[in-house]
Amino acid sequence: MAVFTKLQTVSTIADLRDCSFFDVIHHIKANFNLPDLKQLASKFGLSRHQIRRLAESKSDNYSKAFLALGINEEVVHCLSPRTRKSFLLSCGRAAQLLFQCAEVNECSIEQLTQSQLRNDPVIKTLLPSAILHTTELKSSILGEINYERVSSLPNNFFEKQPEVALDLFTKMKIRLGIDNKWPNTDSLRKDWFGVKLMDKFGNSVSKMCLYFGEKEFETHVAPNNAWDSPEFIRERIVAALQNMGKPITALPELSLKQLDAQLNNGSISSACSRNRNTPFAQLCIELFPEQNFKVFQFIGGVPNFYWRDECGELQCKKAREAIDWLTEQVFGKNSPLSKIQKLSLLGQSDFNRYKLSYLASMPGLTITQVLITAYPELKDSIVSCSRVYDECGKRLYAILSSRFDHNKNPLASALEIPLSKGRSKKWSLRADLLIHFRLLDVFFEIQGAQHCDSQHHFHSNSENTESFIAQVENDRLKFEYHEQNKNIVIYLRPDQLTLSEVLAESERQGLDLTSQRYIPIDKKQRASYLVQNSLLSPLVFD
């Protein structure tokens, strides 16, 4: 149902005089169309003779006629298909519409696509022909817009339109005759763009020049002791990052040498020396507290005796801070997993990825020992993630932990299964997962296609199917081990790793996880089921 807008309910010329550009926009958003001037002239009872007389023209110039009647100029041109596009481009309204569209789509004007413009009802109605030539439209906007007539710059103008901002900055320098020596704030505010720059940078000429990469400003204005000022060092680091096209969050990934190369006078290295030989990482932590940087994030590494004290003991507070930070990076802030679950799922690869490999591989300490030392109150519950061997195991553990309570160590240790005769060394096979539920201990085996398919790519590099034969032998040993020890073991395929599938498959294999009741199934019947459902190869039971 159409919404009755102010423009839709006008009945007299006086009513139309009260309409503005925003009433036109409101009408478009509500009805996805616009009346034209000819329709309104007919509605008001204006004849063609009256239109020509008002327009002082021999032709039907409705635009001139309505302007002569005192109708708002923007409204007249928006309702006139012939003059609409040129007027909107020249007055800056088209630019405003594109800026709003870009903001909605979280991109710059240059990045707007034809589809995004077409999906905007206002642009589609007011500039339909221009959408067909998107590149020309954006070029016209960026080239023809008169920013001097705009009361305020669009939101995030400097970030979304850096090239336009730099061009306006350069033109301002020419207008004010600025070479190397910059005037004071009051002089800059005499220029229309200078006013907007001073508003953005808080009346700081220094910040403005650093933002636009003005090297001349540094040599002329910076006082002798500028590098003793934390604020000045912060500005120089920000300037160096901008020259490299890097955000502040990338600071830990950059070296002092890389940052110093972006400055032509002074260096951040010397600033570190001046500040009581403060390490670069510590300096950044102090200068950018809002970023919550950590020492161990920086590529320069941590100082001596950071992880261990002079006696070789683990610095528990620092280790705990690093591991807390790591679990947040790996699992996210809003993860439903508990503290113990997160710690249990951490692996060497997680430590390596976030530059904490030394913490996880200290001489004489395993990951489990590091965790237990850092979290002594959780000693009885922590277990190394090295006991979950792949992503499927981690996923299954997360699924079950979100639904069921468990105690003791939640993950399985190695299953020591002796080899058949002829093998000289002791060999151990491992369960994919063992969870100690409230009433039962349950083993889980996640069986990929390689357990049943000899042509699977896992076995592609082996001769005479040796790899597949070894796989079958492993599965046979594990099946017999569980049978002999009366263990509860549930076999799952990777495509069954959802809560509903795990519950259903467990029940088909005799285990009701909800009530934690297990009804043993005859060995032959169980073997037949596992083979039919591609959970084990028939060769396991030959």
Side-chain angles (χ1 to χ4, degrees):
M1 180 181 292
V3 178
F4 289 95
T5 63
K6 186 175 181 179
L7 186 61
Q8 194 173 4
T9 57
V10 295
S11 58
T12 65
I13 293 174
D15 292 337
L16 189 58
R17 287 195 186 102
D18 292 333
C19 291
S20 66
F21 177 78
F22 299 102
D23 293 318
V24 173
I25 300 300
H26 179 231
H27 181 89
I28 294 172
K29 291 181 177 179
N31 298 284
F32 299 91
N33 61 33
L34 272 180
D36 60 32
L37 294 176
K38 187 175 181 180
Q39 292 173 332
L40 290 175
S42 176
K43 185 176 184 178
F44 297 152
L46 294 173
S47 65
R48 292 178 66 185
H49 175 72
Q50 289 173 310
I51 291 295
R52 292 179 179 182
R53 189 180 64 188
L54 287 167
E56 298 179 351
S57 171
K58 294 181 180 180
S59 61
D60 299 339
N61 194 324
Y62 288 91
S63 297
K64 285 188 177 180
F66 276 82
L67 289 172
L69 289 170
I71 308 302
N72 183 291
E73 181 184 24
E74 292 182 327
V75 174
V76 170
H77 288 293
C78 284
L79 301 180
S80 172
R82 288 195 306 173
T83 62
R84 182 183 296 155
K85 177 182 174 182
S86 58
F87 175 80
L88 291 174
L89 286 170
S90 63
C91 74
R93 287 297 190 186
Q96 184 180 16
L97 295 176
L98 259 70
F99 274 121
Q100 291 172 352
C101 182
E103 187 171 359
V104 169
N105 289 282
E106 298 181 349
C107 65
S108 66
I109 285 182
E110 291 91 337
Q111 295 171 323
L112 280 174
T113 64
Q114 190 177 83
S115 176
Q116 289 171 331
L117 293 173
R118 192 179 290 112
N119 290 335
D120 188 303
V122 178
I123 293 177
K124 183 178 180 180
T125 303
L126 293 178
L127 299 167
S129 62
I131 293 177
L132 299 176
H133 308 283
T134 306
T135 303
E136 294 180 13
L137 173 62
K138 291 187 286 190
S139 177
S140 299
I141 292 298
L142 297 175
E144 295 182 21
I145 182 171
N146 186 354
Y147 286 96
E148 188 171 357
R149 295 180 57 183
V150 180
S151 58
S152 60
L153 294 174
N155 292 336
N156 301 320
F157 169 76
F158 290 89
E159 291 74 18
K160 292 185 177 180
Q161 305 295 335
E163 295 180 359
V164 179
L166 181 59
D167 181 60
L168 293 174
F169 176 78
T170 304
K171 291 178 179 177
M172 180 197 71
K173 288 177 62 180
I174 295 172
R175 287 195 300 270
L176 297 177
I178 297 171
D179 188 8
N180 288 333
K181 185 174 181 180
W182 280 88
N184 58 27
T185 301
D186 293 336
S187 298
L188 285 176
R189 283 191 170 275
K190 293 177 182 179
D191 182 272
W192 72 269
F193 192 59
V195 171
K196 293 174 171 51
L197 288 172
M198 290 298 96
D199 288 343
K200 173 176 174 58
F201 297 104
N203 288 325
S204 172
V205 179
S206 170
K207 289 181 180 179
M208 177 193 69
C209 290
L210 292 173
Y211 182 88
F212 288 102
E214 287 292 301
K215 306 289 186 179
E216 296 84 1
F217 174 79
E218 182 182 309
T219 58
H220 183 83
V221 178
N224 293 332
N225 296 324
W227 285 96
D228 292 334
S229 166
E231 182 63 28
F232 184 80
I233 298 171
R234 178 187 167 104
E235 290 176 356
R236 301 314 294 136
I237 292 176
V238 171
L241 288 169
Q242 289 171 345
N243 290 341
M244 300 171 72
K246 300 278 189 181
I248 293 178
T249 52
L251 196 52
E253 303 168 9
L254 301 172
S255 66
L256 270 172
K257 186 176 180 180
Q258 289 174 299
L259 293 170
D260 286 344
Q262 301 298 319
L263 305 175
N264 69 342
N265 184 23
S267 69
I268 301 169
S269 301
S270 63
C272 291
S273 299
R274 291 188 184 196
N275 280 269
R276 304 176 303 281
N277 290 320
T278 303
F280 175 59
Q282 186 60 40
L283 183 65
C284 291
I285 291 171
E286 294 173 359
L287 293 178
F288 300 92
E290 72 283 358
Q291 298 296 327
N292 198 26
F293 288 138
K294 308 296 182 185
V295 173
F296 44 79
Q297 288 179 259
F298 289 78
I299 61 173
V302 297
N304 293 333
F305 304 113
Y306 186 84
W307 298 122
R308 293 180 185 264
D309 58 25
E310 295 182 359
C311 298
E313 298 296 327
L314 181 69
Q315 300 264 33
C316 293
K317 184 177 180 180
K318 293 177 179 178
R320 189 167 183 144
E321 178 190 28
I323 296 169
D324 284 343
W325 175 86
L326 177 62
T327 56
E328 186 174 302
Q329 306 307 307
V330 174
F331 302 102
K333 291 183 178 180
N334 301 317
S335 170
L337 298 178
S338 68
K339 184 84 165 181
I340 294 175
Q341 292 168 357
K342 292 176 184 177
L343 294 175
S344 297
L345 289 172
L346 286 177
Q348 181 71 49
S349 60
D350 298 317
F351 283 83
N352 294 347
R353 192 187 326 154
Y354 292 98
K355 305 183 183 71
L356 292 171
S357 55
Y358 180 80
L359 182 60
S361 56
M362 286 184 174
L365 289 178
T366 64
I367 293 180
T368 303
Q369 290 170 329
V370 170
L371 294 174
I372 291 174
T373 305
Y375 300 88
E377 72 279 11
L378 303 178
K379 179 179 179 181
D380 294 333
S381 300
I382 291 178
V383 64
S384 170
C385 182
S386 61
R387 297 176 184 175
V388 176
Y389 303 102
D390 54 31
E391 292 304 317
C392 290
K394 290 185 179 182
R395 184 176 172 188
L396 176 59
Y397 175 62
I399 290 170
L400 294 173
S401 297
S402 67
R403 173 68 184 270
F404 301 101
D405 294 330
H406 53 74
N407 52 29
K408 306 180 185 177
N409 288 347
L411 308 180
S413 57
L415 290 177
E416 298 296 336
I417 301 177
L419 295 177
S420 56
K421 291 183 179 181
R423 303 277 180 98
S424 58
K425 295 182 179 179
K426 189 177 181 181
W427 186 31
S428 65
L429 295 177
R430 300 171 181 267
D432 288 342
L433 191 66
L434 166 62
I435 291 189
H436 303 274
F437 292 101
R438 184 169 50 84
L439 300 177
L440 301 170
D441 291 346
V442 181
F443 290 89
F444 291 91
E445 294 291 343
I446 304 169
Q447 305 290 90
Q450 72 274 13
H451 289 264
C452 299
D453 183 7
S454 62
Q455 302 303 313
H456 193 273
H457 66 85
F458 272 31
H459 314 301
S460 60
N461 295 325
S462 33
E463 298 179 0
N464 301 321
T465 65
E466 289 182 0
S467 174
F468 180 65
I469 292 173
Q471 181 76 71
V472 170
E473 177 66 7
N474 290 351
D475 290 341
R476 186 187 66 79
L477 287 171
K478 289 166 80 170
F479 184 85
E480 292 296 336
Y481 174 86
H482 288 305
E483 283 290 322
Q484 292 171 9
N485 290 276
K486 302 187 184 314
N487 293 330
I488 301 174
V489 57
I490 302 299
Y491 290 85
L492 300 166
R493 295 190 306 273
D495 61 356
Q496 294 179 306
L497 296 185
T498 64
L499 182 59
S500 59
E501 283 287 340
V502 171
L503 293 177
E505 184 60 46
S506 297
E507 190 167 350
R508 287 192 288 269
Q509 296 183 38
L511 174 63
D512 185 343
L513 276 173
T514 304
S515 63
Q516 296 189 23
R517 293 179 58 195
Y518 179 65
I519 302 175
I521 299 176
D522 177 73
K523 181 178 178 180
K524 289 185 178 180
Q525 182 182 351
R526 179 171 173 76
S528 174
Y529 175 83
L530 295 175
V531 170
Q532 289 175 5
N533 289 274
S534 301
L535 291 165
L536 283 175
S537 168
L539 298 177
V540 171
F541 306 102
D542 286 350

